[in-house]
Amino acid sequence: MTALYLPSFTRLGGGALDELPAALALAGLKAPFIVTDRFMASSGLLERVKDLLLKAGFDARAFADAVPDPTVVSVNAALAALREGRHDCVIGLGGGSPIDTAKMVAVLAVHDTTPAALKAPYVQDEPGLPIIAIPTTAGTGSEATRVTVITDETTDEKMLCMGAAYQPRIAIVDYELTLSMPLRLTADTGTDAFTHALEAYVSRRANPFTDALALTAMTRIWEHLPTACREPANREARAAVMQGAFEAGMAFSNASVALVHGMSRPIGAHFHVAHGLSNAMLLPEITAWSLPGAPARYAACARLLGVASARAPDVAAGEALVAALRARNEEIGVPSPKTFGLDAARWDNLLPLMAEQALASGSPANNPRVPTAKEIVDLYRVVWG
């Protein structure tokens, strides 16, 4: 049996944001609490959302101090702000960080617990407040997933929290909100989405439903991400990458991610590298190491993306995929940890802890080839550059 978790109400396409009041009404929700960040507030998008809701008769309040890589402190601040009013749902407006913050706030608003108590392998299925996700980047897929990631700032651990409680009830997926994304953010979040799709497809928990979504997402993102980077106003490319990110989110929410994400989170926690960028740094070499675990699956991806011929043997096709991933990183300017400027001594000293935290997240266990802690340390050294 396969269990599937998907948003109940989705609005997808250009102008979808205007459908927010109708979606809330359809879900029977009346008093949203908005979680966003200062950039969304300064850009005017928060006011646009508040005006949209006000004109439709909704009583909305907002917290605009969500931080990148949301911390326990920032979550608690948002929770305190929510409790100053009476709200029946939480809107996450922005990139993955505001949406992840909103997810945790929605759960803590109902359940007397802490993010540390909720981290994997614990599963929080009992719902909190309904969650509405409005992504403004094309990459995290958080609008489609039943996971959130919160950083414990006292230990520098990115805590993966999962369960049906974090599944958004409403997803507003409007590519027009991504038209102003700068190149680096476009490249990094797009690569994050591609990684979601690839890892969902090779995951030990993959199923026919997630396979279909993952393959479609990979095709869209691979074809259109370079154009979105070069031509930020290209609406066709933006729409394709946004839809691909949503499809990839649904795929990995139901099949899980694997070793790339497991190793990526500690890099973000200890060195504050953006999540999509740390995934991009890891993706080619982790794929190269993982090839023997699922040669046919990786080969299928290579053929689908047109980087290997239909007649190429699986091993050769897998190697072609790795070569294409390395070339794509060069094309969109992905640095190695070394060239990005991370501290070499600190990197080396933290490798045992990073490997331990990667394994503890559970994601590496889904990889086609499951590593030991020593192998993860060795892979970090290869990726260093």
Side-chain angles (χ1 to χ4, degrees), residues 18-334:
D18 293 336
E19 295 298 310
L20 174 61
L24 288 170
L26 187 61
L29 302 172
K30 299 179 180 178
F33 179 73
I34 304 168
V35 175
T36 191
D37 57 30
R38 295 193 178 189
F39 178 78
M40 289 295 111
S42 65
S43 71
L45 184 57
L46 173 58
E47 284 307 310
R48 178 183 166 191
V49 171
K50 290 174 72 174
D51 288 346
L52 191 65
L53 293 171
L54 183 63
K55 289 175 182 176
F58 290 89
D59 180 20
R61 294 171 58 253
F63 173 85
D65 288 318
V67 299
D69 298 322
T71 62
V72 174
V73 168
S74 68
V75 165
N76 287 338
L79 180 63
L82 177 142
R83 286 175 171 163
E84 292 173 1
R86 297 175 64 87
H87 299 281
D88 61 3
C89 60
V90 182
I91 295 175
L93 171 67
S97 293
I99 295 175
D100 276 5
T101 304
K103 288 181 174 185
M104 183 56 71
V105 167
V107 169
L108 297 181
V110 173
H111 302 284
D112 183 17
T113 184
T114 66
L118 296 172
K119 72 179 181 179
Y122 184 83
V123 176
Q124 177 64 35
D125 283 336
E126 188 176 350
L129 293 178
I131 299 159
I132 298 90
I134 309 175
T136 59
T137 62
T140 70
S142 191
E143 71 276 6
T145 71
R146 54 191 182 100
V147 299
T148 186
V149 180
I150 306 298
T151 299
D152 182 341
E153 57 269 67
T154 64
T155 62
D156 277 342
E157 179 186 3
K158 278 196 168 187
M159 300 180 292
L160 175 68
C161 305
M162 61 181 69
Y166 305 109
Q167 178 69 56
R169 188 167 185 192
I170 298 172
I172 305 292
V173 187
D174 187 342
Y175 75 84
E176 292 180 355
L177 302 182
T178 72
L179 290 171
S180 61
M181 287 172 62
L183 187 152
R184 185 74 267 151
L185 185 61
T186 299
D188 294 346
T189 56
T191 303
D192 186 19
F194 182 85
T195 306
H196 291 152
L198 178 59
E199 290 206 295
Y201 186 68
V202 301
S203 169
R204 290 169 177 258
R205 297 171 59 188
N207 60 67
F209 179 85
T210 59
D211 284 353
L213 286 168
L215 292 170
T216 301
M218 271 188 275
T219 303
R220 288 189 206 282
I221 298 165
W222 188 260
E223 178 181 354
H224 292 282
L225 181 58
T227 303
C229 291
R230 290 191 309 266
E231 305 170 25
N234 187 307
R235 299 174 75 88
E236 179 185 0
R238 291 292 195 185
V241 176
M242 189 69 158
Q243 182 165 336
F246 181 56
E247 291 164 340
M250 289 187 287
F252 91 81
S253 183
N254 290 283
S256 191
V257 286
L259 182 55
V260 174
H261 273 76
M263 291 178 62
S264 174
R265 295 186 195 102
I267 296 175
H270 293 288
F271 295 95
H272 306 291
V273 177
H275 175 66
L277 180 56
S278 60
N279 276 342
M281 290 173 173
L282 291 160
L283 182 59
E285 304 314 319
I286 301 310
T287 301
W289 184 84
S290 302
L291 286 177
R297 290 235 146 194
Y298 285 112
C301 295
R303 297 183 189 110
L304 175 76
L305 301 178
V307 300
S309 71
R311 295 184 178 182
D314 286 353
V315 172
E319 291 171 351
L321 175 63
V322 172
L325 293 175
R326 289 172 178 153
R328 175 56 60 86
N329 272 11
E330 288 188 18
E331 180 183 6
I332 62 177
V334 177

Side-chain angles (χ1 to χ4, degrees), residues 364-377:
N366 303 316
N367 206 58
R369 185 180 176 192
V370 179
T372 63
K374 181 184 180 303
E375 287 171 323
I376 291 179
V377 168

